[in-house]
Amino acid sequence: VVLAVATPNVIGNKVDFKDCGSEAGSVLSVDVEPCPQQPCQLRRGTTINMTMQFTAKTAITKGTTKVYGFIAGVKVPFPVPDDACQNMTCPIASGSTVSYRNSLVVKAEYPLVKLVCQWEVRDQDDK
């Protein structure tokens, strides 16, 4: 499940997202907290919480998480734990609807920039 969330403004609000080619699941919704309006303004020194609802298109036994920010056209990785099964129940049966929940610390030392965030949850086959 691969998606991009526009993040230049979200409290448990559904946000607009673009599915970037999900193969193992269909993204139903993405909530980001805090984000009272879009685009989301992620404040330095805070933690954002993201919940993604998706339907698995295949059986998922293992998952990995990758988060990137596109800054001036450059894809920059953000540090998050990579075991997606810490953020959702695994294994997942094909056809099941799943809630994936994760948090990301917006460090005080991060530069003040507008960016697009790409949040990936990949299955055991890297799909």
Side-chain angles (χ1 to χ4, degrees), residues 1-5 12-15 17-20 22 24-33 49-56 60 63-67 84 87-89 92 96-103 117-123 127:
V1 179
V2 181
L3 60 103
V5 179
N13 293 349
K14 291 195 184 327
V15 296
F17 66 91
K18 175 185 174 188
D19 188 317
C20 300
S22 299
S26 297
V27 180
L28 304 173
S29 66
V30 176
D31 296 333
V32 179
E33 180 184 323
N49 298 299
M50 191 274 292
T51 302
M52 175 178 48
Q53 297 278 335
F54 71 93
T55 300
I60 299 172
T64 56
T65 301
K66 303 287 183 200
V67 179
N87 307 100
M88 62 186 182
T89 302
I92 300 166
S96 296
T97 298
V98 179
S99 290
Y100 167 89
R101 293 179 178 88
N102 205 334
S103 299
C117 179
Q118 180 173 325
W119 204 297
E120 299 178 4
V121 179
R122 297 188 167 268
D123 72 1
K127 293 182 180 180

